[in-house]
């Protein structure tokens, strides 16, 4: 129980974020694309890292701000690490650039030529949250979906259904429906004074017992970002692909859907398109108030939404090399 009591606004080490004003062009791309609203425009027009709602920093250490900055003006140092409680980080705490060749510590640019094309895409592709106002041709969407069809699945069961949405009004309807649920949770969680109030700690400690994966602190700043952006969750992408699982599929349908989705994401990248996994809108679709919306999207038994992917043409530089936390590896 003591651990559960540390689930709300847990003690967290955030990466140190700095902006080099000698390099920064004040384009605002980092402010626009940060998934957690972690930058604001300062009085001098330069982006300023911020925290809010009880978070010292609104940052999940994704490094997309670093990758997409055309001037190389943003720097992050250190890991994101929850120090204790049920959400305690289980990573090693070591941030590093890609090291695919064992023992080779040269910069990525010096080893890139020795890597395969697939490896290069894996290491340089970043989630895209800035899209051009340009439709994706149906032919290209078909090529993306077809790549998903050839993903492996348990027993070749393919417990997958895909829903492709290009109707912007329907995308907005999904966003609005999701935010009706998300807004309740994030308003309960975030605290304007920044103080860790006892009643909130008790409430979210209790919720952690039943829905631990849904009360992790990290998504709440993303919910607030969407709320401030007038319910925009899909970043104005021209197309959204929902991946649904057959709940009675054999073995692990969630894993099968994940592999299908990753095939699609890589295929989209090879076609010059940008993508971003969006889970924020998926969970709220399961709530009673969104029953009609589920039926409109064809999410009826035995289907259940697992994830969704925003698809579109990248606006400016998105991809780049970043550091990532290092997870534990055991060799037996």
């Amino acid at each position: 129980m003591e651990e559960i009591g540390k689930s709300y606004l847990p003690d967290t080490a955030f990466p140190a974020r700095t902006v080099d004003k000698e390099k920064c062009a004040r384009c605002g791309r980092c402010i626009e694309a940060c998934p957690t609203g972690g930058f604001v425009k300062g009085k001098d027009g330069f982006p300023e890292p911020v925290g809010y709602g009880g978070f010292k920093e609104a940052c999940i250490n994704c490094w997309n701000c670093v990758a997409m900055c055309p001037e190389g003006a943003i720097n992050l140092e250190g890991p994101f690490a929850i120090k204790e409680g049920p959400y305690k980080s289980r990573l090693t705490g070591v941030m590093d650039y890609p090291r695919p060749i064992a023992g080779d510590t040269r910069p990525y640019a010096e080893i890139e030529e020795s890597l395969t094309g697939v490896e290069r895409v894996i290491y340089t592709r970043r989630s895209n949250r800035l899209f051009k106002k340009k439709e994706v041709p149906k032919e290209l969407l078909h090529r993306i979906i077809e790549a998903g069809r050839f993903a492996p699945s348990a027993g070749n069961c393919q417990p997958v259904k895909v829903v492709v949405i290009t109707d912007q009004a329907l995308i907005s309807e999904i966003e609005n429906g999701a935010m009706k649920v998300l807004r309740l949770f994030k308003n309960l969680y975030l605290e304007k004074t920044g103080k860790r109030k006892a009643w909130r700690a008790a409430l979210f400690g209790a919720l952690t017992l039943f829905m631990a994966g849904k009360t992790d602190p990290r998504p709440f700043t993303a919910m607030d970002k969407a709320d401030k952006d007038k319910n925009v969750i899909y970043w104005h992408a021209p197309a959204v692909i929902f991946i649904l699982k057959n709940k009675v599929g054999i073995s692990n349908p969630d894993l099968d859907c994940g592999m299908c989705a990753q095939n699609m994401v890589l295929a989209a990248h090879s076609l010059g398109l940008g993508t971003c996994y969006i889970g924020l809108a998926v969970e709220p679709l399961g709530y009673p108030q969104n029953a009609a919306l589920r039926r409109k999207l064809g999410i009826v038994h035995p289907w259940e939404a697992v994830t969704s992917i925003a698809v579109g043409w990248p606006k400016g530089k998105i991809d780049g090399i970043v550091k990532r936390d290092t997870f534990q590896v055991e060799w037996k």
Side-chain angles (χ1 to χ4, degrees):
M1 291 301 294
E2 184 180 353
E3 287 291 290
I4 294 298
K6 298 172 182 174
S7 61
Y8 176 68
L9 286 177
D11 189 10
T12 304
F14 293 93
R17 296 178 290 164
T18 55
V19 178
D20 186 338
K21 294 186 178 181
E22 295 295 320
K23 295 181 179 178
C24 179
R26 291 182 279 190
C27 64
R29 286 168 59 85
C30 57
I31 298 172
E32 186 179 356
C34 176
T36 56
F39 287 98
V40 297
K41 188 176 184 179
K43 291 181 180 178
D44 55 6
F46 290 105
E48 294 180 354
V50 296
Y52 57 85
F55 292 94
K56 182 181 177 183
E57 300 281 345
C59 178
I60 55 174
N61 212 18
C62 67
W63 274 60
N64 269 33
C65 55
V66 176
M68 65 182 297
C69 176
E71 311 299 334
I74 300 177
N75 186 53
L76 270 66
E77 287 292 338
F80 172 101
I82 297 176
K83 299 178 180 178
E84 56 185 2
Y87 300 116
K88 180 180 178 180
S89 299
R90 309 294 177 182
L91 301 166
T92 65
V94 177
M95 296 286 295
D96 205 355
Y97 288 107
R99 303 293 182 202
I101 302 173
D104 193 332
T105 58
R106 288 179 294 166
Y108 179 82
E110 294 182 19
I111 63 170
E112 187 173 28
E113 285 298 317
S114 60
L115 303 180
T116 67
V118 173
E119 287 178 301
R120 292 177 197 170
V121 170
I122 288 172
Y123 294 127
T124 58
R125 178 206 162 269
R126 305 269 72 85
S127 295
N128 189 101
R129 298 183 179 89
L130 294 179
F131 294 101
K132 293 179 180 176
K133 292 182 179 178
K134 179 182 176 182
E135 292 183 1
V136 180
K138 190 173 182 179
E139 294 76 18
L140 293 187
L141 291 171
H142 172 78
R143 288 176 67 172
I144 293 170
I145 296 164
E146 189 67 353
R149 189 166 70 89
F150 280 81
S153 63
N156 195 28
C157 177
Q158 293 186 291
V160 178
K161 176 179 175 179
V162 172
V163 180
V164 185
I165 307 165
T166 57
D167 181 340
Q168 294 301 301
L170 181 53
I171 294 173
S172 294
E173 188 176 345
I174 296 167
E175 293 174 326
N176 293 335
M179 282 308 301
K180 286 179 182 176
V181 177
L182 297 175
R183 191 174 291 110
L184 293 175
F185 277 98
K186 73 98 180 172
N187 285 344
L188 271 176
Y189 195 98
L190 299 179
E191 171 54 53
K192 291 181 181 179
T193 66
K195 295 180 179 177
R196 189 176 185 278
K197 292 187 175 178
W199 71 267
R200 281 195 165 99
L203 173 62
F204 281 92
L207 290 175
T208 300
L209 291 171
F210 305 100
M211 44 196 296
K214 299 177 177 62
T215 52
D216 186 293
R218 277 162 278 211
F220 288 99
T221 46
M223 296 176 197
D224 196 61
K225 163 94 174 182
D227 195 13
K228 289 173 179 171
D229 287 347
K230 300 179 180 178
N231 297 352
V232 171
I233 292 175
Y234 286 104
W235 304 91
H236 304 290
V240 172
I241 299 175
F242 267 80
I243 313 292
L244 315 183
K245 71 173 180 181
N246 183 340
K247 291 187 288 186
V248 296
I250 63 174
S251 189
N252 189 343
D254 290 87
L255 176 61
D256 294 334
C257 287
M259 292 189 285
C260 172
Q262 187 65 0
N263 265 23
M264 291 186 186
V265 163
L266 294 178
H269 189 276
S270 73
L271 296 167
L273 292 160
T275 55
C276 186
Y277 282 105
I278 304 286
L280 207 57
V282 172
E283 179 70 21
L285 281 176
Y287 282 69
Q289 55 265 58
N290 286 320
L293 184 54
R294 285 200 303 277
R295 289 193 294 272
K296 184 182 286 190
L297 293 171
I299 307 175
V300 294
H301 184 79
W303 302 106
E304 180 179 305
V306 173
T307 190
S308 61
I309 307 170
V311 183
W313 300 102
K315 187 167 68 176
K317 173 183 177 292
I318 302 294
D319 289 347
I321 295 297
V322 301
K323 285 185 177 180
R324 274 283 182 268
D325 261 305
T326 307
F327 52 66
Q328 301 178 56
V329 179
E330 294 186 5
W331 298 70
K332 305 292 187 183

